[in-house]
Amino acid sequence: MIGAMGYEHLLVDVEAPIATVTLNRPRVLNALSPDLIRELTTALSELDADDSVRAVVLTGGPKVFAAGADISDMADRGAVDQLRRDQTGRWAPLAGFSKPLVAAVNGYALGGGCEVVLMCDVVIAGETARLGQPEINLGIIPGAGGTQRWPRTAGKYVAMEAMLTGQPIPAQRAYELGLVNKVVPAEVTVEIAKRVARQIAEKPPLAARMAKEAVLKAFESPLSEGLASERKSFYFLFATEDQKEGMHAFLEKRKGVFKGR
Ligand code: HXC
């Protein structure tokens, strides 16, 4: 069903100066399909441009935040397909949202769902919240920032355990580890998140924007990021025919013939 704002998988409720975006695919625990992500990034771009909105609450509703990227969409995709469609690059408007984003998390926030939480600026968790990165059980790793934002948020060992065991972390433990700001009874999670959003919305919006930008800057470590990315690209090139041709051509003292494959 298409909602009032024309979204199939989202509810968007603007109560200026705040707005609430609710992920709404309950049958599959809000699995983050490409269509849902497209709608979410579109909605956030619109809210970013709407001067009457100064802070946004992002929630999955009373039962679940999101059980991750949609596995039925990913199961049979190949590496080149993933690279070309740039599955997680398309999530960028979420991390780039310029206004304060308050997550209201009840139930599972797993995989990509947890990575969405980690892109939010303040996290209110219901007592039922469980944050985790179970990708390892599927033969993959987090692809929307999990391996980078967990260590920067909760440290190396917490991140390693989460990534390597795939075990979700319950709300209270997540609070102790600094992964969420507050734990509240599940039935008031969204209301408390809205209260925090309204409190932020009262602040000068430009200062809020700069404060958000400044804190996020602390996440950046350009050299190590650059080195990690270089190393991955370096290894990836060993999957290409051109690398084999280039190196063998050198050893055979001839000029390489490259095909861009
Ligand atoms: C597609 C999903 C889904 C998902 C649940 N469902 N998670 N569909 N993608 N990520 C569907 C189930 O297939 C089922 O559909 C329905 O939702 C209800 O789920 P159940 O498993 O029956 O519920 P329950 O027994 O309560 O178990 C809840 C759960 C489990 C523990 C959260 O669903 C689960 O483990 N889900 C997968 C979690 C996960 O691995 N997430 C990481 C995904 S990879 P039917 O039709 O059978 O009723 C990822 C990569 C991110 O996120 C990288 C960046 C994009």
Side-chain angles (χ1 to χ4, degrees):
M1 204 185 82
I2 309 290
M5 312 273 286
Y7 297 116
E8 194 183 345
H9 305 303
L10 290 185
L11 304 170
V12 179
D13 181 25
V14 178
E15 306 164 87
I18 69 164
T20 303
V21 177
T22 307
L23 309 175
N24 190 31
R25 285 187 86 202
R27 207 194 63 71
V28 286
L29 312 185
N30 294 334
L32 303 166
S33 63
D35 283 347
L36 187 154
I37 292 294
R38 194 174 313 120
E39 290 191 357
L40 180 57
T41 54
T42 302
L44 288 179
S45 301
E46 281 172 11
L47 294 172
D48 226 354
D50 182 343
D51 286 341
S52 78
V53 173
R54 294 188 168 184
V56 172
V57 171
L58 179 58
T59 185
K63 296 229 170 74
V64 64
F65 187 79
D70 194 321
I71 299 168
S72 60
D73 169 72
M74 294 183 294
D76 294 320
R77 290 189 187 268
V80 173
D81 180 19
Q82 281 290 67
L83 186 75
R84 284 172 65 96
R85 76 170 181 145
D86 193 13
Q87 181 186 8
T88 58
R90 291 171 190 273
W91 298 32
L94 255 166
F97 190 61
S98 78
K99 297 173 185 178
L101 200 46
V102 181
V105 183
N106 287 323
Y108 287 114
L110 300 180
C114 187
E115 292 174 296
V116 168
V117 172
L118 287 166
M119 292 182 212
C120 293
D121 304 309
V122 175
V123 183
I124 307 301
E127 284 161 348
T128 56
R130 291 169 74 79
L131 278 70
Q133 301 289 162
E135 283 90 340
I136 193 147
N137 299 323
L138 302 169
I140 58 169
I141 64 170
T147 65
Q148 304 305 298
R149 291 195 178 96
W150 271 77
R152 283 166 167 81
T153 306
K156 171 182 165 185
Y157 298 108
V158 170
M160 281 292 187
E161 192 176 358
M163 309 294 137
L164 294 175
T165 70
Q167 275 298 310
I169 296 181
Q172 186 56 35
R173 182 76 184 129
Y175 172 72
E176 288 158 14
L177 294 169
L179 280 163
V180 306
N181 293 80
K182 205 188 281 268
V183 180
V184 301
E187 54 288 5
V188 294
T189 315
V190 175
E191 202 36 61
I192 304 273
K194 285 186 182 183
R195 200 181 299 165
V196 173
R198 279 192 210 100
Q199 190 186 355
I200 294 170
E202 283 172 13
K203 309 295 178 199
L206 286 175
R209 181 179 175 151
M210 297 300 137
K212 171 169 175 165
E213 251 180 58
V215 173
L216 289 179
K217 269 274 180 242
F219 266 45
E220 308 283 341
S221 21
L223 180 63
S224 58
E225 256 178 44
L227 291 174
S229 146
E230 174 195 75
R231 204 152 45 234
K232 274 197 185 146
S233 301
F234 175 71
Y235 296 146
F236 171 76
L237 287 168
F238 283 74
T240 66
E241 291 176 17
D242 284 352
Q243 172 268 330
K244 296 286 174 297
E245 167 65 7
M247 292 196 180
H248 285 285
F250 172 80
L251 294 174
E252 290 157 21
K253 302 192 186 303
R254 63 176 173 82
K255 196 169 179 330
V257 181
F258 300 113
K259 299 179 190 152
R261 276 193 228 139

